[in-house]
Amino acid sequence: MAVPTEPEPAVRTAPEVSAGRDVVGAVLKACTLLGHFSADRPVWTLNDLTVASGMNKTTVFRLMATLIHAGWVDRTDEGTYRVAMPVFEIGSAALAKLDIRSAAKPFMSDLANAFGNTAYLMVPAEQGAVCIDLLEGRNSLVVAGINVGSVMPYHAAAGPIVMLAHSKALRDKWVTTDLPAITEQTITDVDRLVEHLDEIAEAGYSLSVADYLPGVAAVAAPILGRNGSVVASISVGGRAEEFEGDALAAMIEKVCDAGVRITRIAQALPRG
């Protein structure tokens, strides 16, 4: 099958920008193409892959032909591409040794490096939200009082609140009339809190500003299990003045993306 040739533009992929001499460009491009396949989009045409990847059509065709020859991709009768069984076998082997903390680690590192603030992973527990991991960024602010093992109330701070917003079970237990004020910004009025939680559930993320620690803000997204239940939250926190404008918009986008991606992994993990 002949594919028309054309001048090849630079591939718009972040990994290639920082690639060193030890990196094989063709392999990196092939991995980028495989990265477009997901449960939401398991089948791709040549034209769609070309547009999505930003690569030259000839390059995409040759890379996909190579992946087919290697057994990693199948070509359907309609001429579209889908990943083949070896990809699922490797994925299953990796998932067998994976837990939520190890699944979230690369995303936490990405958040800490991107914004210089501290990334947190929290899980729901009987007594409150428990911080099970954190990664400090390059910024000097150390958020005192939030460490691995810290237990936090659900009605303050972005990580706990986003779990409360997405869990009916947690709401039924924790939204009461005797909520303590952690700071002057903590929401303790039940009606106002319920309205706030509904807004968070609709938006898909929470933003907290000085409601748990003065001068500290955070953005968090939920991580959901197979049945939609909350299994964790991922967040990034730092100085409140850094959570404004374009910087805040970028944090929200990246945290939400991390939450979605870890949710996909969590829902694929073997049942315990």
Side-chain angles (χ1 to χ4, degrees):
M1 173 179 173
V3 179
T5 60
E6 55 191 75
E8 183 173 351
V11 179
R12 296 191 297 271
T13 56
E16 189 170 14
V17 174
S18 58
R21 289 188 296 176
D22 293 335
V23 175
V24 180
V27 176
L28 191 64
K29 291 179 182 179
C31 290
T32 298
L33 293 177
L34 285 175
H36 288 290
F37 291 85
S38 67
D40 296 330
R41 186 76 181 271
V43 178
W44 286 80
T45 66
L46 175 63
N47 286 336
D48 287 346
L49 267 179
T50 299
V51 172
S53 66
M55 298 182 197
N56 178 280
K57 190 173 185 179
T58 302
T59 299
V60 174
F61 175 76
R62 289 173 176 168
L63 288 171
M64 296 307 292
T66 303
L67 290 170
I68 291 171
H69 183 74
W72 290 72
V73 171
D74 286 331
R75 192 80 182 266
T76 69
D77 293 339
E78 293 77 24
T80 56
Y81 301 104
R82 66 167 64 245
V83 292
M85 187 55 65
V87 177
F88 294 103
E89 292 172 348
I90 292 172
S92 297
L95 287 170
K97 297 297 183 182
L98 196 64
D99 58 21
I100 194 66
R101 185 176 178 183
S102 56
K105 200 76 169 183
F107 298 95
M108 296 174 64
S109 178
D110 189 30
L111 288 171
N113 291 333
F115 304 112
N117 294 309
T118 304
Y120 300 92
L121 182 67
M122 300 182 186
V123 297
E126 186 72 18
Q127 67 274 31
V130 180
C131 177
I132 63 169
D133 202 5
L134 64 82
L135 277 177
E136 294 180 359
R138 62 185 175 276
N139 294 344
S140 59
L141 176 67
V142 176
V143 181
I146 305 180
N147 302 295
V148 174
S150 294
V151 180
M152 305 168 63
Y154 282 108
H155 69 292
I161 285 179
V162 82
M163 290 192 285
L164 183 64
H166 286 81
S167 171
K168 183 180 183 303
L170 288 178
R171 287 200 195 199
D172 290 345
K173 179 176 180 179
W174 287 90
V175 179
T176 65
T177 56
D178 57 349
L179 295 170
I182 313 301
T183 72
E184 293 181 355
Q185 304 301 319
T186 308
I187 299 176
T188 58
D189 179 78
V190 170
D191 291 337
R192 185 180 165 203
L193 178 60
V194 169
E195 182 180 357
H196 182 53
L197 294 175
D198 289 342
E199 291 172 350
I200 291 171
E202 182 175 353
Y205 71 90
S206 63
L207 168 65
S208 68
V209 181
D211 64 344
Y212 184 73
L213 294 170
V216 174
V219 173
I223 299 169
L224 307 178
R226 284 190 183 92
N227 60 356
S229 62
V230 174
V231 296
S233 69
I234 185 168
S235 59
V236 60
R239 293 184 178 86
E241 59 268 23
E242 297 174 357
F243 287 68
E244 299 176 352
D246 292 342
L248 174 59
M251 289 185 203
I252 291 172
E253 180 179 5
K254 205 166 187 65
V255 168
C256 287
D257 180 68
V260 169
R261 289 173 179 269
I262 304 170
T263 288
R264 290 174 182 164
I265 297 171
Q267 292 176 351
L269 290 174
R271 297 181 185 275

